[in-house]
Amino acid sequence: MMRVENATSTVDGNAAAGMLWDVFGTDVTALVGVCGGCGAAAPFAETIVELDEAAAIVRCRSCTHTLFTVLRDERGTRLILGTLHEIVRD
């Protein structure tokens, strides 16, 4: 698992699109997530992502709570939920 101090870059949610595709089988960067920490709603493309070769920590742009983490390892790609309250699909 990635530790935040080992992140190789901090980018927006678009950078995690490939890892999210592996989990959902489609592009979810336009879906709106609601933060369980502060209640802010925004597309996943606008989140803050701490990224390395094995993980993406996806954080709320408003309050920096971890919404979810995407991990790649020998078992595959998996999603670990943090403070993501809901996903809104129009």
Side-chain angles (χ1 to χ4, degrees):
M1 180 179 291
M2 180 175 71
R3 296 172 50 102
V4 73
E5 60 269 15
N6 295 336
T8 55
S9 62
T10 301
V11 293
D12 69 19
N14 290 308
M19 293 177 98
L20 291 171
W21 183 282
D22 291 345
V23 174
F24 294 103
T26 190
D27 180 11
V28 298
T29 56
L31 290 178
V32 174
V34 179
C35 177
C38 70
F44 289 134
E46 296 178 10
T47 60
I48 298 169
V49 177
E50 295 163 354
L51 189 65
D52 72 6
E53 66 281 346
I57 299 172
V58 181
R59 297 183 181 277
C60 173
R61 184 168 292 282
S62 296
C63 71
T64 71
H65 274 88
T66 299
L67 300 174
F68 57 89
T69 302
V70 184
L71 297 173
R72 277 188 182 150
D73 60 20
E74 64 279 350
R75 295 179 289 177
T77 303
R78 55 197 164 112
L79 184 78
I80 301 169
L81 294 177
T83 63
L84 182 63
H85 176 66
E86 66 180 318
I87 298 173
V88 181
R89 185 175 185 183
D90 291 329

